[in-house]
Amino acid sequence: MEANLQGIVMACLPYIADEHPRVRFACCNALGQMATDFSPLFQKKMHDKVLPGLIHLLDDDAHPRVQSHTAAALVNFFEECPQNVLLPYLPNLCQKMQSTLEKKTMELVQTQRKLVLEQIITTIATIADTAENHFTPFYQNFMPNLKYIMENANDKELRLLRGKTIECISLIGLAVGKEVFLSDAEQIMNMLRRRRQTTASKWMPMTHKFRT
């Protein structure tokens, strides 16, 4: 199939803009799967054809499942992506990720919808992990929102979101290095400590005092 990869991708790409959301969803699914199965050849040969369409599809606010699946396809693409392929897209990609993160954080506050937000945070983590220190100029674009989510996503229904956020913060910290991360490290550690103490107190076994 590798010999025919370009032809297959070119046959799929028109459907990324299909009028039906299920077709767009299926197209993202196919592209994400090929990104995994044929990495890194897929990333090296198809980035200029695949990435613009996927990045544009992140604006499909009317169809959150399509949005979420688009972000998941980007995870598949960037997990095994050579860094030199990612870097030319990094400024525009981070701008899109930042605006989507802000929009979906507000959506969570207003409507409790979290499907797209959970996936976007995973995508940001993957981009930072691949970009490494090249993510440093974009650090402050993401950390305030991520810290806000980490501190406020305390409901039982938001545990997965909070876990993904902690993972994302950790991977960003590793990417940018301790000098950059130091400004937020103490606050983040304090949030983790407070959460651990709260959780521990909820599960503290009841003790009884017996008179002798």
Side-chain angles (χ1 to χ4, degrees):
M1 189 171 168
E2 272 190 16
N4 302 313
L5 185 59
Q6 182 164 345
I8 294 169
V9 171
M10 296 309 293
C12 287
L13 279 177
Y15 296 105
I16 206 168
D18 191 90
E19 62 181 16
H20 201 293
R22 290 187 180 180
V23 176
R24 298 197 298 275
F25 181 98
C27 184
C28 288
N29 189 69
L31 293 173
Q33 191 63 56
M34 285 189 283
T36 297
D37 292 344
F38 298 103
S39 64
L41 177 67
F42 183 90
Q43 286 81 350
K44 291 177 180 178
K45 299 294 185 182
M46 303 296 162
H47 62 88
D48 58 329
K49 300 171 180 64
V50 170
L51 284 179
L54 288 176
I55 293 171
H56 178 73
L57 202 54
L58 286 172
D59 290 328
D60 195 356
D61 291 311
H63 302 97
R65 290 190 180 277
V66 175
Q67 263 188 320
S68 178
H69 218 52
T70 302
L74 287 170
V75 170
N76 290 15
F77 188 96
F78 289 120
E79 273 184 331
E80 301 297 332
C81 181
Q83 191 181 82
N84 67 303
V85 172
L86 165 64
L87 293 183
Y89 297 95
L90 192 58
N92 183 44
L93 190 61
C94 283
Q95 183 180 11
K96 180 67 70 174
M97 289 290 130
Q98 179 189 358
S99 64
T100 307
L101 177 65
E102 291 172 351
K103 192 188 322 180
K104 297 305 171 181
T105 302
M106 185 62 65
E107 189 176 285
L108 175 68
V109 172
Q110 295 173 345
T111 69
Q112 294 298 300
R113 293 177 185 169
K114 56 183 172 48
L115 174 68
V116 180
L117 182 59
E118 287 175 348
Q119 187 58 60
I120 283 292
I121 287 172
T122 300
T123 308
I124 293 167
T126 305
I127 292 168
D129 190 42
T130 300
E132 297 180 320
N133 65 307
H134 297 282
F135 196 81
T136 301
F138 311 101
Y139 175 83
Q140 286 299 336
N141 297 359
F142 295 100
M143 195 53 66
N145 265 301
L146 293 171
K147 288 193 299 183
Y148 175 84
I149 295 168
M150 181 179 170
E151 186 162 24
N152 292 283
N154 294 315
D155 293 346
K156 183 178 179 180
E157 295 77 12
L158 301 177
R159 284 178 181 174
L160 179 61
L161 174 64
R162 193 168 190 275
K164 286 177 177 286
T165 304
I166 293 169
E167 179 184 38
C168 183
I169 289 172
S170 301
L171 288 172
I172 289 175
L174 285 171
V176 302
K178 61 183 180 181
E179 291 80 8
V180 177
F181 189 61
L182 187 62
S183 60
D184 293 299
E186 184 177 359
Q187 182 185 2
I188 290 166
M189 290 304 297
N190 286 336
M191 284 192 281
L192 288 169
R193 191 180 298 113
R194 286 195 300 270
R195 180 63 180 175
R196 182 179 180 184
Q197 289 169 348
T198 302
T199 304
S201 66
K202 287 182 180 179
W203 292 98
M204 186 72 69
M206 184 180 294
T207 57
H208 300 275
K209 292 184 179 180
F210 298 94
R211 294 186 180 183
T212 56

